[in-house]
Amino acid sequence: MSGTPMTDAAGNEFTPSASFSSDEGRRDVSLVFIGDSFVAGVGDEKALGWTGRVLARTTLTDAVLAHYNLGLRGETSGGLSQRWQSEGTLRFRDATERRLVVQVGHADVTAGTSIARHRLNLANVLDEAASQGVGTFVVGPPPTADPVTNDALSQLVDAQRDVCDRRGVMFVDTFTPSSATTSGRRTSPPPPTASTPARRATASSRGWCSTTAGVTGSPDPKSGPP
């Protein structure tokens, strides 16, 4: 493992993993998806969600991939920061490569979680994961049909992007590409058809190849908030 020394939220210095090694050329990858109802695939008629669609498009050569969906309806960043290790540890056991994909946001808006608290919760997850050699990938929340909610989500997405940029973590914005076709054009939320998670899967596929291939950046952390 290699990388630039960083400091987690508790002030402990660690060196994040920028690469993984494998025995005899075979990769043993444990991939954990954790987050809210969008990760769980709630409302998808095909019961795949965007995670299932992305995995169906993913081909790894000389690798054994074990994937786990830990999506929880109504999950907040605070709840996720508390449970990712307890639930993830069981799935990461004995794997030579450990990957964590995070998507959260809507429940934080509903719960009135401040941007500062959301940033801290996400930063804690990413820092703790990096200190344990777990590669991370963050997918931003998609927009809704409610302009007020979208205003809050827009700020949250910007915060997520900044937190990830400071740590060299891949971030996929599903909000901005979709908001133009969502805002102001519907009077009610879209029906839970397969097309919605399919679009999220397409957006989330960007950067996916480099992440599953083990290419993760670890630039110098920037100064400023988490």
Side-chain angles (χ1 to χ4, degrees):
M1 296 182 181
S2 62
T4 302
M6 295 178 62
T7 302
D8 64 17
N12 302 310
E13 186 175 278
F14 63 90
T15 300
S17 172
S19 62
F20 292 87
S21 61
S22 59
D23 296 329
E24 300 179 356
R26 193 188 80 163
R27 299 170 58 198
D28 186 356
V29 184
S30 183
L31 179 61
V32 172
F33 295 91
I34 193 166
D36 54 21
S37 58
F38 293 103
V39 172
V42 174
D44 180 12
E45 293 179 348
K46 292 188 175 181
L48 291 173
W50 70 262
T51 61
R53 287 170 170 79
V54 167
L55 286 170
R57 301 176 184 179
T58 301
T59 301
L60 295 179
T61 304
D62 298 324
V64 175
L65 174 63
H67 54 89
Y68 307 94
N69 190 315
L70 302 183
L72 178 63
R73 191 172 191 175
E75 180 72 295
T76 63
S77 61
L80 186 150
S81 67
Q82 294 177 19
R83 76 179 177 96
W84 84 266
Q85 290 198 66
S86 61
E87 296 191 19
T89 298
L90 298 175
R91 279 81 179 179
F92 290 139
R93 185 179 300 165
D94 299 327
T96 57
E97 298 187 31
R98 296 170 292 169
R99 305 285 180 180
L100 181 70
V101 180
V102 178
Q103 183 178 42
V104 71
H106 280 262
D108 276 26
V109 171
T110 301
T113 303
S114 69
I115 294 297
R117 172 55 61 179
H118 181 86
R119 289 180 64 103
L120 181 60
N121 289 336
L122 179 60
N124 284 342
V125 172
L126 301 183
D127 290 347
E128 290 166 357
S131 69
Q132 298 173 32
V134 177
T136 49
F137 182 98
V138 178
V139 179
T144 71
D146 178 41
V148 175
T149 299
N150 285 343
D151 286 343
L153 284 173
S154 178
Q155 298 178 52
L156 186 144
V157 168
D158 288 342
Q160 289 186 347
R161 180 186 293 106
D162 185 58
V163 168
C164 291
D165 285 348
R166 292 174 185 276
R167 289 158 176 78
V169 171
M170 182 71 70
F171 175 75
V172 173
D173 179 1
T174 67
F175 178 86
T176 303
S178 303
S179 59
T181 58
T182 303
S183 299
R185 295 193 182 184
R186 297 183 187 271
T187 57
S188 60
T193 61
S195 61
T196 300
R199 288 196 297 270
R200 288 195 291 272
T202 300
S204 300
S205 292
R206 291 177 297 161
W208 185 257
C209 292
S210 63
T211 299
T212 54
V215 181
T216 56
S218 298
D220 291 334
K222 301 176 183 178
S223 60

